Structures are given as structure tokens and as C-alpha cells.
């Protein structure tokens, strides 16, 4: 019930009363409620929210991830050194979200992210690193190369959660001029994928891209 309430409050997160309530939940004893509260506060860039998110970068994984997203959304470049440290964190999803947000926050982030590409073995983190680099790529061929590299990881990974995350990342990269590159990867993937749930997820991603690019 609390999670449902917090999700509803997200619509009004910039209001002072709602903001106060959500900030109180960021100090809940339950990590899932702290994470949900920060997720609800995503679009609130008020000073007290930013301060709370920075403080909770030392929290449990699900909370840290939501704080990274919030701080990246509001372009808080002061967390760049912390995100670079997180690239060595033992938690793969912390590394994943740190890589993506470094792409948003750090100019010439490819200089940092390319170093970690050569050190990283986890497939979903590699995708995050490539995605972070894609934020600042200006050359078509380089952008297509990154799509292809991410697509290859999708074709090779056996982890269902990773697959759905990578499908989403490719959908984000499928701007009109690159849509067919992503569709080719999706088509190749569905030829070998036997999980109906994941194939349905692909169908949804394709429709989302078509609707967005129409």
C-alpha cells in the first residue's frame, strides 16, 4: 500500500507537502520504500531533495540506483567523481547506472568509459558503458558500431533480466535513422529466443519505437 501511495504522489512531487512526505519516506527503515520515494521524487530538483539523494549514495543498491538516476536527471555534475568510483563497485547494477549517467554528466566521458570497457566482464555493465559513450557520439558510423556491439551482447547473454534491459537500451538508441539497425538485431534475436515473455517484450519495444518515430 505504501508503494502504491508513493507512486501516486510522484505526480505531485514538486508540491511542498508531497515533497515533505516523500522525503520522510527516504528515511524509511525499508530499502524498497526509500528507493520508491526517490523514484517518486525524480523530477524534483529542489535543494533538499538533491542533498538527500547525495547522502543516500552510500545506501543499499536499489536506493543508490534511484539516487544516481535522480542526480543525473538534474545534471548534478558534482557526483561525477563518485560515479567514477562506482565503476569499480561490486554491484553490477550500480556500475551499470553509473556508466550511463557518466555519459550524461561528463564531457568526453568516452575517455573514462573506454578504460572500464577493457576491464569489465559483466554483459549488462558493458552495455551501460557503451550506452554512456553513445550519449556523446556524433559520427553515424560510431553510433551504429555501438548499437551493433550492444546487439551482440543481447544475442550472447543468457540472463533474462539482462536481456530485457538490453532490449530497452536498444529501443532508446533507435532514433529514426538507426531504427532499422535495431530492428535487424531484434529480428535476429527472436529467431533464437525461446522465452515467450521476452519475445513479447521485443514486440512491445518495436511498437514503442514505431510510435515514437512516426
Amino acid at each position: 500500500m505504501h508503494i502504491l501511495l508513493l507512486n501516486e504522489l510522484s505526480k505531485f512531487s514538486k508540491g511542498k507537502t508531497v515533497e515533505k512526505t516523500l522525503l520522510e519516506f527516504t528515511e524509511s527503515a525499508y530499502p524498497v520504500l526509500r528507493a520508491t520515494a526517490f523514484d517518486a521524487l525524480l523530477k524534483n530538483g529542489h535543494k533538499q531533495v538533491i542533498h538527500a539523494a547525495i547522502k543516500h549514495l552510500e545506501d543499499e543498491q536499489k536506493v543508490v540506483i534511484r539516487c544516481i538516476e535522480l542526480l543525473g536527471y538534474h545534471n548534478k555534475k558534482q557526483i561525477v567523481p563518485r560515479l567514477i568510483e562506482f565503476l569499480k563497485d561490486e554491484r553490477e547494477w550500480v556500475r551499470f547506472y553509473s556508466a550511463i549517467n557518466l555519459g550524461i554528466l561528463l564531457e568526453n566521458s568516452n575517455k573514462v568509459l573506454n578504460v572500464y570497457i577493457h576491464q569489465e566482464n559483466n554483459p549488462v555493465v558493458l552495455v551501460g558503458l557503451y550506452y554512456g559513450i553513445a550519449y556523446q557520439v556524433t559520427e553515424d558510423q560510431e553510433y551504429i558500431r555501438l548499437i551493433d556491439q550492444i546487439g551482440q551482447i543481447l544475442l550472447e547473454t543468457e540472463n533474462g533480466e539482462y536481456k530485457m534491459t538490453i532490449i530497452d537500451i536498444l529501443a532508446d538508441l533507435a532514433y529514426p535513422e538507426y531504427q532499422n539497425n535495431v530492428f535487424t538485431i531484434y529480428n535476429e534475436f527472436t529467431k533464437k529466443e525461446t522465452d515467450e515473455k521476452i519475445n513479447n517484450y521485443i514486440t512491445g519495444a518495436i511498437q514503442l519505437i514505431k510510435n515514437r518515430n512516426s
Side-chain angles (χ1 to χ4, degrees):
M1 288 298 294
H2 278 135
I3 291 172
L4 291 173
L5 171 65
L6 294 176
N7 286 331
E8 282 299 308
L9 289 177
S10 68
K11 302 171 187 175
F12 314 101
S13 68
K14 294 182 181 179
K16 285 297 181 183
T17 302
V18 173
E19 177 188 287
K20 180 181 177 183
T21 299
L22 291 172
L23 281 171
E24 287 173 356
F25 272 101
T26 66
E27 300 300 329
S28 167
Y30 301 99
V32 66
L33 292 181
R34 298 199 298 275
T36 306
F38 277 116
D39 194 33
L41 284 163
L42 175 67
K43 296 183 179 179
N44 184 325
H46 294 164
K47 181 172 65 176
Q48 53 270 39
V49 175
I50 299 302
H51 177 75
I54 291 173
K55 182 179 75 171
H56 281 274
L57 288 175
E58 304 300 327
D59 208 319
E60 296 192 26
Q61 174 172 276
K62 62 183 67 177
V63 185
V64 172
I65 287 168
R66 298 286 82 84
C67 291
I68 289 172
E69 287 189 306
L70 187 153
L71 293 164
Y73 183 90
H74 292 288
N75 202 33
K76 298 302 174 181
K77 297 184 187 298
Q78 67 263 41
I79 70 161
V80 163
R82 190 72 182 96
L83 295 183
I84 293 174
E85 289 179 13
F86 275 146
L87 293 178
K88 296 177 283 189
D89 196 277
E90 63 182 13
R91 300 164 293 184
E92 74 263 37
W93 291 108
V94 171
R95 301 200 302 279
F96 172 81
Y97 282 98
S98 295
I100 291 172
N101 283 276
L102 278 168
I104 297 169
L105 297 174
L106 179 62
E107 188 176 353
N108 296 322
S109 61
N110 60 308
K111 293 180 180 178
V112 172
L113 298 179
N114 270 315
V115 171
Y116 285 90
I117 282 172
H118 298 297
Q119 301 175 10
E120 183 60 64
N121 295 317
N122 183 285
V124 81
V125 181
L126 280 170
V127 167
L129 290 162
Y130 288 133
Y131 188 37
I133 291 170
Y135 274 102
Q136 297 186 31
V137 165
T138 57
E139 297 289 332
D140 281 349
Q141 288 306 310
E142 176 64 10
Y143 197 87
I144 291 169
R145 185 181 69 83
L146 290 168
I147 288 174
D148 289 342
Q149 287 174 315
I150 292 171
Q152 190 59 43
I153 295 172
L154 175 63
L155 294 170
E156 292 175 357
T157 187
E158 297 298 326
N159 183 298
E161 186 178 13
Y162 292 174
K163 288 176 184 178
M164 288 192 283
T165 299
I166 299 168
I167 290 165
D168 285 339
I169 293 291
L170 286 167
D172 286 347
L173 294 171
Y175 293 105
E177 60 269 44
Y178 310 112
Q179 174 179 294
N180 288 336
N181 300 84
V182 171
F183 287 168
T184 297
I185 293 167
Y186 282 169
N187 184 55
E188 188 175 351
F189 174 80
T190 55
K191 288 178 181 177
K192 65 183 280 292
E193 181 57 51
T194 58
D195 188 318
E196 184 178 355
K197 178 182 177 182
I198 294 177
N199 280 327
N200 288 338
Y201 202 77
I202 284 270
T203 301
I206 291 170
Q207 192 57 55
L208 176 70
I209 293 166
K210 288 179 176 179
N211 291 343
R212 186 185 67 205
N213 292 345
S214 63

